[in-house]
Amino acid sequence: MQFAGTALHALVDVLADSDRVAIVVFEATARTVIGSTEAWNRPMLHLAIDGINTGGSTNMEAGMRLGYDQIDDFVDDAHLSRLLVFTDAMT
């Protein structure tokens, strides 16, 4: 998870302040680490990333569904929505 965490920190640092980020993890189950948050709140996003640990099995389907649920709450014609998947390389 070290490399994925480094990549996530770098991504947060280059986002526009008005961009939104949600972080979802998936092991045996999926859970939201931090709901959709504007990127100007970088300290909160970095803390959420630092709190991610690996473990258990990999339920990618549940993670992607929960990730899409986060995106669906903020879809509009003025913004492009993306789902990025970072793994611990065990998927």
Side-chain angles (χ1 to χ4, degrees):
M1 189 59 206
Q2 174 187 354
F3 296 117
T6 299
L8 286 167
H9 283 297
L11 175 64
V12 165
D13 288 339
V14 298
L15 292 171
D17 285 349
S18 60
D19 288 338
R20 300 192 72 83
V21 177
I23 299 174
V24 171
V25 295
F26 48 94
E27 298 172 341
T29 60
R31 68 179 171 85
T32 302
V33 174
I34 186 169
S36 186
T37 302
E38 289 186 328
W40 65 262
N41 198 348
R42 284 175 180 78
M44 184 181 289
L45 293 167
H46 286 299
L47 280 173
I49 293 165
D50 288 339
I52 298 172
N53 295 306
T54 60
S57 61
T58 303
N59 189 345
M60 184 180 270
E61 179 184 358
M64 292 183 72
R65 287 180 186 273
L66 190 54
Y68 282 121
D69 288 345
Q70 289 290 321
I71 290 172
D72 285 345
D73 291 341
F74 294 94
V75 170
D76 64 44
D77 292 336
H79 298 92
L80 181 61
S81 297
R82 293 183 177 98
L83 175 69
L84 305 176
V85 178
F86 295 79
T87 75
D88 61 3
M90 303 305 283
T91 302

